[in-house]
Amino acid sequence: MIEFNTISEEELLEGIKSARNEWIDANMNFDYVDDQEIVDYYTYKILASQVRYEYFLKKAKEKGVKVGLIEE
């Protein structure tokens, strides 16, 4: 488990970027699947990625880290 009290600003920003990219990828892949089991997988992946992204943003805000536009 990640200890957010000791995580650096750079690591936090990298986590935000990673979670965002995972969320975008899951959404793009969801658009191209037709097998119900795979649809279920990407539905879960989208929700999990979104929650992870929002969590990192919340932690950044708590630490006073300014998060601007994150480029891929």
Side-chain angles (χ1 to χ4, degrees):
M1 181 167 180
I2 298 173
E3 180 60 49
F4 282 100
N5 294 331
T6 61
I7 193 168
S8 72
E9 183 176 322
E10 184 178 313
E11 291 170 321
L12 191 54
L13 292 172
E14 184 58 38
I16 292 169
K17 183 178 177 180
S18 171
R20 180 180 175 272
N21 288 339
E22 187 177 288
W23 188 14
I24 290 169
D25 288 345
N27 273 293
M28 287 185 348
N29 289 331
F30 178 84
D31 290 338
Y32 295 102
V33 297
D34 57 6
D35 184 298
Q36 185 59 44
E37 290 179 11
I38 304 298
V39 168
D40 291 345
Y41 168 79
Y42 279 112
T43 300
Y44 168 79
K45 186 87 167 169
I46 289 166
L47 292 173
S49 301
Q50 179 182 357
V51 169
R52 184 170 166 247
Y53 177 68
E54 291 171 353
Y55 181 76
F56 274 110
L57 288 176
K58 178 182 169 191
K59 290 300 176 185
K61 184 177 181 180
E62 288 173 3
K63 291 179 73 85
V65 175
K66 299 285 184 186
V67 179
L69 266 180
I70 298 177
E71 296 181 20
E72 293 180 36

